Amino acid sequence: MKKLNISTFAVRNSAFTTVIFIMIIALGLTTILNMPRSEDPEVHAPTFSIIVVYPGTTPRDIEDRVVNPLEKAISALDDIKRIRTNIANGVAVIQVEYNYNSNVEAKYQEIVREVNSQRGDLPAEIASIEVRKFQPSDTNILQIALISENAPRVTLQYYAERLQDELEKLPPLKKVDIFGLPQQQVRVELDLERMAQMHLPLSAVTGALRSEITDIPGGSIDAGHETFNVKTNNYHTLDEVANTVVFSAGGKNVLLKDIGRVYFGYADDTYLTRLNGHRCLFVGACLKDKENISKAQLLYVPVLDAFKKTLPADIDMVVPFDQATNVNHRLSGLGRDFLIAILLVAFTLLPLGGRSAAIVMISIPLSLAIGIVLLQVVGYNLNQLSIVGLVVALGLLVDDSIVVVENIDRWILEGHSRLDATLKATGQIGMAVLGCTVTLIIAFMPLAFLPEGAGDFIRSLPVAVMFCVLASMFVSLTIIPFLSSRLLKPHAGNPEGNIFMRALKKGIHSSYAPLLNRALKRPWLTITAAVLIFAGSIAVFKVIGFSLFPSSEKPQFMINITAPSQSNLAYTDSITRDIEAELKKERLVKYYAGNVGKGNPRVYYNEVQENERSDFAQIFVELDPDTPPAAKLDFIQTLRNRWTPYPGAKIEVKNFEQGPPVVAPVEVRLFGDNLDTLRQMAAKVETLLKSTPGTFYVTNPVSLLKSDLRVDINKEKAQLLGIPSATIDQAVRMAVTGLTVGKFYTDSKDNYDVIVTRDRGGRPTFDAFRDLYVNNNQGTAVPLAQVADLRLETSQAVIKHQEKRRVVSLQAYVSKGFLVDRVLDDVIRQMNGFHFPPGYSYEMGGEIESRNNSFGGLGAIIIVTVFLFIGVLILEFKTFKSTLIVLSVIPLGVVGASLALWITGNTLSFVAVIGLIALAGIEVKNTILLVDFTNQLRAQGRPLEDAIREAGEIRFLPIVLTSLTAIGGLIPIAVSTNPLISPLAIVLIGGLISSTLLSRVVTPVVYKLIPPRVEPVV
């Protein structure tokens, strides 16, 4: 009999094996204590946003002057996958996505170089062009509110900046930002009437300020043995700015303070922040890559506590969002599930007896320790998915040890010594254990090599399982035989084992043996019944439907408020205050962070902060931490029913979604050139979506045109009066937005924009054009009304591009109780019957596009996996028939998986599909043991049916035990409230139950119908 040398070495070199045993435990403990932790996996997508700010321009102007040239240049780069652009008033955001396997840092540098090379060809009036990386680590782990109803803004700013400085000193944190604070600036407000009386042109004032504010280093000089830097004069105080000479005439200087006032002020309010209805500033902080969020919390909590004690009585500090608390709660919950799983596994091992069960249980910490060390070595951290992978592995990693210990115990019962029984039993089962492990690892390979963001997001789960299962094989063939040879004893009591073992064997013999006999007598009837059961299970999948990723179970959600197009900040704020007043009455709500004019700071890995818009507000709602997921969903539905429709605004209550970002489950994209035609088509598709059963929150971004105020210059008259158009443009911009003339530096090296504008209070209104003068070439002031008229005109509010083509994206969400698949099929059917003019077309985005991205390329991976599967089985059994017998078990697991999803009300989600793929490996693993033992018995000369019956009964016990341990380990995940991971456990449990029961009958029948050739043992 062939013995595996590794087992013999481990048993005969006990001292060395003991040292390795202790080293593994110590290394595992050290790793798990110091391993980086985060709530979700780190995903690094080569996706970048180019944000162009071009104030005062319409979407059409930005499209022609900025977007089209940039898109043309960027699309010529290598490895570009998608270019999508969103153009609104004064801003364009170009999202560039490279092929997923591209190097993020290299591509970032490439796109920065390309944008910089195009900068000279773009309009000089562009305020800024910024290239941003999309990094999940840029999600805030802290959102702190400094609250005060009456403290001056400058006081709030002072304490917010102090807190910012304190947090920036902590090594694990990055990007500590202040939200809700307008930019402080030096404001120069001019008296335009006085300037007109003095015939003082605006260009003289701005020119004087620009020349004085420019700081040109004078270089350095040598004097004796020393070198001195030469500094020229520049501003240090506001008095110096106010005393700037802006004009000289008749021997008299006109100072800036003679025609205006200079003071420290703030930019116009564009973003208001509140917590629970109270005025505040937010301070957010992100965690650096590869840092441990739990350890970071130990650093920043004392800093926050100490800082709070320094605040004056009229300012309070509240921490409404601390992701570390959520992570610790989730990880401790998974840790609790882990302990429950270990107890359930231990319970299922009772039939083995105390010593055998103890030996098997030792394999758990050893295999997990090795798996965790390997996880860190390849760069993964502890997050919800890697921990789920460890829990899934928990029920699988004892399988090898159960089989080895049960086989050793059987040899001891036959009268062999402990050492002899250990070596012979391990040698007999060793190749089967190796084959089982390899097939199980191969089964998880498609999950480890899933493409795109979904694969990156899920990858730590299968990798954790693969490492732990690989470790369990090593442990089961080394340390487990070593411990068995020392600890197992001949049975002093009943030779059939303890009471649990005897009950299990009796149950197997009394129920299984007669059933197997009947099945072997009617093999074709058995196969027909199995095929019909499998066909029925496939039909169940059509009933339950498919979905990609579930909603988040966290007690948090967002409320998006969209006021009518072009609503000002004050109106949007009034709507937001009404919603906040209603939230205040709800007992489930703990915190609600109001953000008017901009989105809430980023607090979720696949959400980004909405850009500034006066007609938009967002409220981040946090419920009581103990709120069950079902109660949260009911509460969200209640709010949706209450606020749909809402007078004077559109209110959308949105849950956070797991997985890669998806704009909406249903998205229809219309392509074409003419904006008016696209708008007409979008109106029809909007009606179509609203009439489709199961849709809500239908969004059509081009349903309304916006109105612009056009300063219509009479160019002929302006030329007669000697007034260049640029002078008029400059005067209008000065009156409305203000002209930036440079930077003012304080002694503390803080810098502020110097803004020249007219005297006004608050946001600009039509009064900005009152008494507005422009100067001709001779310096004579001419009222603006003489050379220009003000008129309203309509234009497109937003323009979008996809791969350089104009596109309109219409979106809709799916109501509770409707299957996403059914709604999508209904929409596609109607869109296919839609009449499109020549040159116009549509495509589906949303969940359909995300599915294609998530599963695209999976087919090739599965093909490779299937052939690897077959190759390993052929290597082990040397025949195609044995391989076919083993693979015949796979459909039987699908039966239980589909029924389990149906009974628990789950759809066939992305994670459930992962469970089905993993299930195949687990089923095959169990069946290998049965087929391998049947072949061994036949090789010893047993008749075919006798070998089938004996192998079925003897191998039924370890197969049932391994299935029970796997189910025991998975039960805590299956009953957990996390909708991302529970379907995985539900699929595995259901599949294991059906395959364990059905395959013990079907596999022997298939073996009888196509018995493989077996060489007799000489």
Side-chain angles (χ1 to χ4, degrees):
M1 184 177 296
K2 184 179 179 180
K3 297 177 182 178
L4 285 180
N5 291 332
I6 189 173
S7 303
T8 306
F9 178 85
V11 172
R12 297 193 183 278
N13 295 273
S14 56
F16 177 78
T17 306
T18 304
V19 170
I20 296 297
F21 173 83
I22 297 171
M23 182 197 75
I24 290 171
I25 293 292
L27 194 59
L29 284 173
T30 305
T31 302
I32 200 166
L33 290 174
N34 296 294
M35 203 170 178
R37 298 180 186 185
S38 63
E39 186 164 24
D40 298 293
E42 293 179 355
V43 180
H44 298 281
T47 302
F48 312 99
S49 293
I50 304 167
I51 302 167
V52 182
V53 178
Y54 190 0
T57 48
T58 65
R60 184 67 182 270
D61 289 338
I62 300 180
E63 180 186 40
D64 292 337
R65 300 178 193 175
V66 180
V67 170
N68 288 341
L70 280 178
E71 285 184 340
K72 183 178 180 180
I74 292 166
S75 63
L77 299 175
D78 293 334
D79 301 321
I80 293 290
K81 183 177 181 181
R82 294 188 187 95
I83 301 176
R84 293 182 178 173
T85 305
N86 193 6
I87 312 166
N89 266 344
V91 65
V93 180
I94 305 173
Q95 187 170 309
V96 182
E97 186 178 345
Y98 284 86
N99 292 330
Y100 200 82
N101 57 359
S102 302
N103 182 286
V104 175
E105 218 34 67
K107 293 303 180 184
Y108 175 70
Q109 296 300 329
E110 178 185 66
I111 202 162
V112 168
R113 284 194 304 271
E114 188 63 32
V115 170
N116 289 339
S117 71
Q118 295 294 316
R119 186 65 176 89
D121 298 328
L122 299 176
E125 297 79 14
I126 289 175
S128 66
I129 300 181
E130 181 185 3
V131 181
R132 292 182 187 172
K133 277 187 280 191
F134 180 81
Q135 294 190 86
S137 63
D138 288 346
T139 302
N140 288 295
I141 63 164
L142 272 176
Q143 184 166 322
I144 305 158
L146 294 179
I147 304 170
S148 179
E149 292 291 355
N150 50 24
R153 181 177 278 173
V154 67
T155 305
L156 270 177
Q157 178 181 0
Y158 168 75
Y159 283 101
E161 289 176 347
R162 269 191 54 200
L163 178 57
Q164 183 182 37
D165 292 340
E166 291 298 317
L167 292 175
E168 284 177 340
K169 294 174 185 176
L170 302 179
L173 300 184
K174 67 173 184 177
K175 291 193 174 182
V176 183
D177 294 320
I178 301 170
F179 301 91
L181 182 69
Q183 184 182 10
Q184 197 170 13
Q185 53 192 210
V186 175
R187 295 184 68 84
V188 178
E189 294 190 351
L190 303 176
D191 184 340
L192 299 184
E193 289 189 35
R194 186 167 176 78
M195 288 176 61
Q197 293 167 6
M198 299 172 67
H199 301 288
L200 181 58
L202 174 64
S203 58
V205 178
T206 57
L209 281 171
R210 283 195 174 102
S211 63
E212 290 294 327
I213 211 167
T214 302
D215 183 16
I216 302 174
S220 62
I221 61 170
D222 289 340
H225 299 290
E226 297 183 32
T227 299
F228 298 90
N229 290 328
V230 179
K231 292 186 176 181
T232 54
N233 187 38
N234 59 355
Y235 293 132
H236 291 94
T237 66
L238 290 189
D239 286 340
E240 292 178 357
V241 179
N243 289 319
T244 302
V245 177
V246 295
F247 195 69
S248 295
K252 185 179 179 182
N253 291 335
V254 178
L255 305 182
L256 182 60
K257 65 183 179 183
D258 296 331
I259 57 167
R261 68 188 187 109
V262 180
Y263 66 97
F264 271 122
Y266 289 89
D268 295 329
D269 281 326
T270 57
Y271 178 27
L272 307 176
T273 48
R274 287 189 293 272
L275 182 69
N276 289 7
H278 300 292
R279 168 178 171 260
C280 74
L281 293 181
F282 290 130
V283 179
C286 303
L287 187 72
K288 292 177 183 175
D289 279 348
K290 309 299 181 185
E291 289 289 348
N292 187 321
I293 192 171
S294 300
K295 288 188 175 181
Q297 188 183 41
L298 297 177
L299 294 176
Y300 63 69
V301 166
V303 171
L304 295 178
D305 291 341
F307 178 79
K308 187 171 183 177
K309 294 175 183 176
T310 67
L311 293 173
D314 59 347
I315 299 179
D316 190 18
M317 187 185 81
V318 177
V319 184
F321 175 73
D322 184 352
Q323 194 185 75
T325 302
N326 297 338
V327 171
N328 293 336
H329 177 73
R330 174 168 283 181
L331 296 187
S332 65
L334 287 169
R336 184 177 61 251
D337 292 345
F338 200 79
L339 292 176
I340 294 171
I342 289 177
L343 292 174
L344 289 171
V345 168
F347 178 76
T348 61
L349 295 176
L350 287 175
L352 288 177
R355 288 176 180 267
S356 297
I359 292 170
V360 171
M361 288 298 291
I362 287 172
S363 68
I364 293 176
L366 290 175
S367 302
L368 289 175
I370 296 172
I372 288 169
V373 170
L374 292 174
L375 265 181
Q376 189 181 38
V377 167
V378 297
Y380 291 100
N381 64 3
L382 275 182
N383 57 69
Q384 62 166 327
L385 287 172
S386 59
I387 290 178
V388 169
L390 296 175
V391 179
V392 169
L394 175 65
L396 305 177
L397 55 83
V398 294
D399 289 6
D400 292 339
S401 298
I402 288 174
V403 171
V404 170
V405 170
E406 191 272 341
N407 212 38
I408 293 172
D409 203 36
R410 195 164 54 82
W411 279 76
I412 290 175
L413 276 173
E414 292 176 3
H416 295 83
S417 67
R418 286 185 302 186
L419 181 61
D420 199 34
T422 298
L423 296 177
K424 289 184 176 180
T426 308
Q428 182 188 46
I429 205 77
M431 286 306 297
V433 168
L434 178 63
C436 290
T437 303
V438 172
T439 52
L440 190 57
I441 289 173
I442 290 172
F444 279 91
M445 276 178 57
L447 315 181
F449 291 101
L450 275 171
E452 299 290 330
D456 228 0
F457 180 75
I458 209 81
R459 190 162 291 124
S460 58
L461 191 157
V463 169
V465 175
M466 291 164 68
F467 281 155
C468 288
V469 168
L470 189 64
S472 76
M473 182 193 73
F474 168 75
V475 170
S476 68
L477 295 179
T478 54
I479 294 171
I480 295 303
F482 157 66
L483 293 174
S484 299
S485 68
R486 297 293 188 276
L487 300 178
L488 288 183
K489 291 184 177 179
H491 290 271
N494 195 310
E496 292 294 318
N498 61 25
I499 185 170
F500 299 105
M501 179 66 83
R502 293 198 302 274
L504 197 56
K505 285 183 176 178
K506 184 178 179 181
I508 291 171
H509 186 73
S510 60
S511 60
Y512 175 63
L515 182 62
L516 181 59
N517 284 334
R518 285 197 291 272
L520 289 172
K521 289 177 183 176
R522 299 178 181 83
W524 288 111
L525 180 61
T526 304
I527 296 298
T528 303
V531 170
L532 291 175
I533 292 171
F534 173 66
S537 69
I538 297 299
V540 172
F541 284 125
K542 294 183 178 179
V543 174
I544 63 176
F546 181 83
S547 64
L548 204 56
F549 284 96
S551 299
S552 168
E553 86 291 359
K554 294 181 191 175
Q556 305 162 351
F557 59 88
M558 288 290 191
I559 300 174
N560 291 344
I561 301 169
T562 306
S565 181
Q566 292 184 275
S567 295
N568 61 27
L569 200 68
Y571 178 79
T572 308
D573 186 40
S574 67
I575 298 290
T576 308
R577 287 183 182 276
D578 292 341
I579 298 297
E580 288 174 334
E582 294 196 42
L583 290 173
K584 186 177 181 179
K585 302 172 187 175
E586 299 292 341
R587 61 178 183 81
L588 283 179
V589 176
K590 186 176 182 182
Y591 296 114
Y592 48 95
N595 302 264
V596 185
K598 197 173 183 179
N600 189 76
R602 185 179 175 191
V603 292
Y604 198 67
Y605 66 94
N606 63 11
E607 294 276 346
V608 293
Q609 187 178 20
E610 184 77 19
N611 291 324
E612 284 187 2
R613 281 166 45 201
S614 63
D615 56 5
F616 177 80
Q618 190 173 65
I619 302 175
F620 173 42
V621 181
E622 289 205 74
L623 305 179
D624 186 278
D626 298 323
T627 305
K632 182 189 83 166
L633 293 176
D634 290 341
F635 182 55
I636 287 175
Q637 193 59 46
T638 300
L639 296 182
R640 284 172 176 170
N641 295 338
R642 183 188 304 174
W643 294 332
T644 307
Y646 190 88
K650 182 178 182 180
I651 313 295
E652 297 177 323
V653 185
K654 292 187 176 180
N655 202 355
F656 290 116
E657 299 291 330
Q658 305 266 21
V662 178
V663 291
V666 182
E667 183 188 17
V668 180
R669 297 180 187 143
L670 304 176
F671 295 93
D673 291 328
N674 187 279
L675 293 172
D676 291 331
T677 305
L678 281 173
R679 186 166 172 266
Q680 292 167 11
M681 290 168 53
K684 295 177 182 177
V685 175
E686 180 184 9
T687 304
L688 179 152
L689 289 175
K690 286 181 176 177
S691 64
T692 302
T695 60
F696 72 104
Y697 289 164
V698 176
T699 302
N700 176 7
V702 297
S703 59
L704 296 173
L705 296 174
K706 70 181 182 70
S707 297
D708 293 323
L709 187 64
R710 169 73 67 180
V711 178
D712 192 7
I713 302 171
N714 186 331
K715 296 197 181 235
E716 185 177 345
K717 192 171 183 181
Q719 287 172 0
L720 285 172
L721 293 172
I723 303 173
S725 295
T727 302
I728 299 174
D729 292 342
Q730 188 181 48
V732 169
R733 182 164 184 80
M734 179 277 301
V736 176
T737 305
L739 294 171
T740 303
V741 294
K743 292 280 187 183
F744 174 82
Y745 291 87
T746 64
D747 291 334
S748 58
K749 302 305 180 185
D750 292 328
N751 66 85
Y752 304 92
D753 285 334
V754 179
I755 306 295
V756 177
T757 185
R758 69 171 296 164
D759 53 336
R760 58 179 170 84
R763 294 273 304 161
T765 63
F766 275 104
D767 286 342
F769 298 99
R770 179 178 50 82
D771 300 330
L772 183 59
Y773 297 88
V774 290
N775 294 82
N776 63 13
N777 294 329
Q778 289 75 39
T780 305
V782 178
L784 177 67
Q786 286 190 19
V787 291
D789 296 317
L790 302 181
R791 60 181 177 83
L792 291 172
E793 66 177 20
T794 58
S795 65
Q796 203 79 21
V798 62
I799 299 175
K800 292 188 177 184
H801 286 190
Q802 179 174 321
E803 279 67 71
K804 300 189 291 183
R805 299 168 63 198
R806 282 178 174 167
V807 63
V808 173
S809 167
L810 295 100
Q811 299 147 20
Y813 285 80
V814 177
S815 303
K816 185 179 179 181
F818 286 82
L819 291 175
V820 175
D821 259 2
R822 301 271 174 84
V823 175
L824 285 171
D825 289 344
D826 195 1
V827 171
I828 292 170
R829 178 182 54 77
Q830 294 179 76
M831 288 304 300
N832 286 339
F834 196 85
H835 173 69
F836 290 93
Y840 292 79
S841 60
Y842 93 98
E843 74 173 23
M844 297 299 294
E847 186 152 320
I848 287 182
E849 181 181 61
S850 188
R851 287 180 196 178
N852 293 335
N853 292 338
S854 300
F855 293 106
L858 184 60
I861 297 169
I862 289 179
I863 289 171
V864 172
T865 302
V866 168
F867 280 97
L868 280 174
F869 232 71
I870 294 170
V872 169
L873 293 174
I874 288 175
L875 274 176
E876 182 166 353
F877 293 113
K878 306 295 190 295
T879 67
F880 278 103
K881 286 185 176 180
S882 292
T883 300
L884 187 60
I885 295 167
V886 171
L887 294 177
S888 67
V889 73
I890 292 176
L892 304 178
V894 175
V895 174
S898 63
L899 289 175
L901 288 173
W902 178 56
I903 291 169
T904 56
N906 284 282
T907 60
L908 183 64
S909 63
F910 180 84
V911 179
V913 171
I914 287 173
L916 281 173
I917 296 171
L919 178 63
I922 300 170
E923 294 175 284
V924 166
K925 181 180 179 182
N926 285 336
T927 309
I928 285 174
L929 297 172
L930 179 64
V931 174
D932 179 68
F933 193 53
T934 309
N935 289 347
Q936 287 185 31
L937 292 176
R938 286 182 62 206
Q940 294 169 9
R942 305 286 177 87
L944 176 62
E945 290 209 11
D946 290 350
I948 291 172
R949 287 189 176 88
E950 185 176 348
E953 288 203 36
I954 291 176
R955 279 288 172 258
F956 200 121
L957 178 62
I959 288 171
V960 166
L961 285 176
T962 56
S963 296
L964 286 176
T965 54
I967 291 169
L970 292 165
I971 284 175
I973 304 177
V975 299
S976 75
T977 56
N978 189 337
L980 177 66
I981 59 178
S982 58
L984 172 70
I986 289 167
V987 163
L988 291 174
I989 290 173
L992 279 170
I993 291 172
S994 66
S995 67
T996 301
L997 297 176
L998 294 176
S999 65
R1000 300 294 72 81
V1001 174
V1002 174
T1003 302
V1005 169
V1006 175
Y1007 194 103
K1008 178 184 177 181
L1009 293 175
I1010 50 170
R1013 184 171 56 84
V1014 176
E1015 295 291 337
V1017 176
V1018 180

